[in-house]
Amino acid sequence: MRTFKNGATSTTNSYVNKLPKNSVWFFTLIIVGLMCMPHIGKAQGQSITDYVLFSGDGSIPGSSIPPSPGYAVQINTNSQIIGGKVGSYVFVNSCTNVTMSSSIHSGGKVTLGNNNTITGNISSANGAGSNYTVLKGGSNSHIVGNVDVNGKAVITSGYVTGTVTHPSGTSYTGPVPSGGNITGTPNLPTLPALPPITTFPAMGSTNITTTSTISPGSYNNITLWGNKTVTLNGPGVYVFNSMTNSGSSNTLQFDFQNNPTGTFQLYFHNNVSAGKMSCMMINGGSAGRIYTEVHGVGTGCGNGKQSFVVANGSPSGNCIKWLGTVWAPYAGISIGSGSSSNEVIGAFYSGTQVLVQTSVKVTYAPFITCSSPNANAGADKVIDCTHATVQLSGSSTTQGVSFSWVASGGGNIVSGANTATPTVNAAGTYMLTVTSGTCVASDMAIVTNNSALPNVNAGADKAFTCTSSSVQLNGSSTTSGVSYSWSGPGSISGATTATPTVTTPGTYTLLVANPTNGCSATDMVDVTVNTVAPGAEAGPGNAITCVNLTVTLFGSSPTQGVNYNWTTSGTGNINSGANTANPIVSGLGIYSLTVTNPANGC
């Protein structure tokens, strides 16, 4: 028995150790636009999307048993694997003249044919932990990386640029590794869980048999007899029963309609036998945004054990035969044939076997999606007389994101445009974009300007007069909730009211402050002294005679608007007009005129 890091166990079979069925998690869920790919959470754990080719061990109930070499990734002669990793729970096997710019990780055994070049690390977990040959390399093996095996390793000839590490009690035979032949604990990455299995929507009833343009939705069978083009008109979910093509020059065309983030999900309830179909994209797009899941068990397709099959060859020669990720839980995947050439771009995962035929070029482009990151631009802010600049308070609960702010509508970012909390100094709209990998989310904050000055009116100028020793100022404001503050040359009674009293002439300043926005405004009023006495002239004296028993006095003043008041002493008598300039008097006496200026009381 062997105990895995997650506590599961397995037994040794004839040449490899299969991972136990309970060491892989499977989930059933509906995928709408996103494909979640969980992986076992251990040290050095990996995601299935790290891999360009990966095969399971038949643990999924209802899956087919594959032909030789069994549960494996098999790569035939003259094929190239560019990017990603190649992995299997059980076995990775290659033939002659295979080139992989990929690491190889197997839960069991790895066998490399002659003239193989591997640019990457190789690991073979071999559950037995005995001196069993778990890595075989043919002649002229070129391994540019480290080799870690839980057993014996044999390489006929060639070179290893890194280290070869194997446990005590096992051996390594082959060219001297540049990094050394190390007896110790090998570095064995934890293999990922296979993708979850999607619960498909129901298939439709419409068959596709000729050149067609179809929109997202449910259909029945695609059956093309040659020289036909099926265009998928826009990103979305396309559901089919099966695909069975024959002849040549059939094309599957993905029209992305210049959608920068849209994805295609193709769901086949049964098998896909694409034949010599070619794939292409129009109006933007990338293979990393195309995903195909096939639920056939292989009956009547390929060798009866493969549910996804694409063939080599085309009248136009070497061309792209498939685009995007393919996931076949219940049966194998076969790419290419025994002759001609083929190119596919994407990633290929099977619950049983991935077979890469002769002269196939596989370029890694996994279907990578993610949940949109959290984006929060924070509360709206206000620029006022207290805050000529404000700091926005963006944030994200998603770890490892980047921030980017863009101002519009008159806004201006002073600093920190690529931080969560930039400083701005103008009213406007501020858009926060949070980026996590290839996924983005946005939120908006509004900055307004509340710098309006309050209304202020210090009132009419005032003056001290002969009748006053103080004056009251008449300040006011039409802005509600303001405060008042007076300043000036003398003492001010009620300096924090609108109408204070002052006793000293001079210029007084009223400051009105609005506490809601910190803005203030001032106005001034002049207080003067007006104590000039008006001129007074009682006129010439006059005489009472026997003929004229009354006389008219002729008072005057050079000051306009004055009040007159006559008084007498002795036996004089004012008959009328005592409050005019020209009264009529009788009797002898002294008549006195008082002139008063009502403007200043003098």
Side-chain angles (χ1 to χ4, degrees):
M1 300 286 288
R2 178 188 175 214
T3 301
F4 289 78
K5 293 181 181 178
N6 63 351
T9 60
S10 71
T11 57
T12 305
N13 63 19
S14 59
Y15 67 98
V16 295
N17 283 285
K18 288 176 58 177
L19 287 175
K21 295 184 179 181
N22 65 351
S23 69
V24 183
W25 303 340
F26 298 97
F27 301 85
T28 301
L29 70 161
I30 296 177
I31 302 177
V32 180
L34 295 178
M35 175 181 170
C36 301
M37 295 185 173
H39 57 83
I40 300 172
K42 306 175 193 175
Q44 301 182 30
Q46 302 176 68
S47 168
I48 191 68
T49 56
D50 296 334
Y51 285 78
V52 61
L53 305 173
F54 198 91
S55 70
D57 61 356
S59 299
I60 300 175
S63 61
S64 301
I65 300 174
S68 178
Y71 300 107
V73 170
Q74 170 72 40
I75 304 171
N76 285 352
T77 302
N78 295 324
S79 287
Q80 303 176 64
I81 312 300
I82 301 174
K85 300 176 183 178
V86 175
S88 172
Y89 290 151
V90 180
F91 186 31
V92 176
N93 185 49
S94 68
C95 296
T96 305
N97 297 324
V98 170
T99 300
M100 294 187 238
S101 56
S102 310
S103 293
I104 300 173
H105 300 298
S106 173
K109 183 179 179 181
V110 176
T111 298
L112 306 176
N114 296 334
N115 299 312
N116 273 212
T117 297
I118 312 299
T119 305
N121 300 322
I122 299 176
S123 70
S124 178
N126 176 33
S130 62
N131 193 24
Y132 177 78
T133 302
V134 294
L135 170 63
K136 291 183 179 180
S139 61
N140 199 32
S141 294
H142 298 163
I143 301 174
V144 183
N146 298 323
V147 174
D148 289 89
V149 294
N150 191 26
K152 184 178 179 180
V154 176
I155 298 175
T156 302
S157 64
Y159 60 79
V160 178
T161 64
T163 60
V164 174
T165 304
H166 52 92
S168 176
T170 65
S171 63
Y172 164 68
T173 302
V176 177
S178 299
N181 177 11
I182 300 171
T183 299
T185 302
N187 180 21
L188 303 174
T190 301
L191 296 178
L194 290 167
I197 300 174
T198 305
T199 299
F200 291 167
M203 68 186 76
S205 59
T206 301
N207 292 314
I208 311 298
T209 60
T210 188
T211 295
S212 307
T213 297
I214 61 175
S215 297
S218 294
Y219 304 88
N220 194 20
N221 301 308
I222 299 177
T223 306
L224 306 178
W225 302 99
N227 299 300
K228 304 295 188 297
T229 297
V230 174
T231 300
L232 304 183
N233 191 32
V237 176
Y238 294 79
V239 184
F240 305 95
N241 179 36
S242 68
M243 177 186 287
T244 307
N245 297 337
S246 60
S248 59
S249 297
N250 293 313
T251 302
L252 182 62
Q253 186 167 256
F254 297 88
D255 184 355
F256 278 85
Q257 299 180 343
N258 297 311
N259 186 320
T261 60
T263 60
F264 287 86
Q265 293 91 48
L266 280 61
Y267 297 148
F268 289 89
H269 284 266
N270 287 294
N271 303 318
V272 171
S273 180
K276 296 181 179 181
M277 171 179 276
S278 298
C279 290
M280 64 182 296
M281 296 175 292
I282 61 174
N283 298 319
S286 69
R289 292 196 274 137
I290 301 173
Y291 172 74
T292 300
E293 187 168 334
V294 181
H295 284 184
V297 295
T299 303
C301 183
N303 59 14
K305 305 296 183 181
Q306 296 158 343
S307 62
F308 181 89
V309 179
V310 294
N312 282 351
S314 168
S316 60
N318 187 15
C319 59
I320 296 173
K321 312 304 292 183
W322 199 261
L323 290 166
T325 292
V326 176
W327 165 222
Y330 303 108
I333 293 173
S334 176
I335 305 169
S337 58
S339 62
S340 188
S341 59
N342 190 341
E343 180 177 1
V344 293
I345 302 175
F348 300 86
Y349 313 132
S350 168
T352 63
Q353 185 186 89
V354 177
L355 174 59
V356 177
Q357 300 275 18
T358 301
S359 300
V360 176
K361 179 181 178 181
V362 182
T363 301
Y364 173 61
F367 185 75
I368 299 292
T369 61
C370 55
S371 298
S372 296
N374 169 263
N376 183 359
D380 294 339
K381 296 296 181 75
V382 176
I383 290 175
D384 55 28
C385 295
T386 303
H387 307 95
T389 63
V390 293
Q391 189 175 54
L392 303 182
S393 51
S395 64
S396 176
T397 58
T398 307
Q399 298 297 312
V401 298
S402 61
F403 299 90
S404 177
W405 291 86
V406 175
S408 61
N412 182 59
I413 300 173
V414 177
S415 62
N418 294 317
T419 69
T421 55
T423 299
V424 305
N425 68 351
T429 299
Y430 295 84
M431 182 66 70
L432 168 64
T433 298
V434 175
T435 302
S436 176
T438 59
C439 294
V440 298
S442 298
D443 192 25
M444 184 172 63
I446 304 296
V447 175
T448 55
N449 190 334
N450 185 18
S451 299
L453 300 180
N455 170 264
V456 58
N457 184 0
D461 292 340
K462 294 298 183 75
F464 292 101
T465 68
C466 292
T467 59
S468 63
S469 60
S470 66
V471 294
Q472 186 178 54
L473 305 181
N474 295 318
S476 64
S477 175
T478 59
T479 306
S480 61
V482 297
S483 63
Y484 298 90
S485 177
W486 289 88
S487 61
S491 62
I492 303 172
S493 176
T496 58
T497 68
T499 55
T501 299
V502 299
T503 58
T504 304
T507 299
Y508 290 83
T509 300
L510 169 61
L511 173 71
V512 171
N514 187 349
T516 62
N517 64 1
C519 297
S520 59
T522 60
D523 191 24
M524 292 184 295
V525 63
D526 288 327
V527 177
T528 58
V529 176
N530 186 6
T531 57
V532 177
E537 174 60 49
N542 212 335
I544 295 175
T545 66
C546 293
V547 177
N548 297 308
L549 298 178
T550 63
V551 296
T552 299
L553 303 181
F554 295 97
S556 64
S557 175
T559 305
Q560 298 297 314
V562 296
N563 296 326
Y564 295 90
N565 184 41
W566 289 90
T567 60
T568 183
S569 61
T571 60
N573 180 56
I574 300 173
N575 294 346
S576 64
N579 294 320
T580 69
N582 307 114
I584 297 174
V585 302
S586 62
L588 301 177
I590 298 174
Y591 292 86
S592 300
L593 171 62
T594 300
V595 176
T596 303
N597 187 347
N600 61 5
C602 296

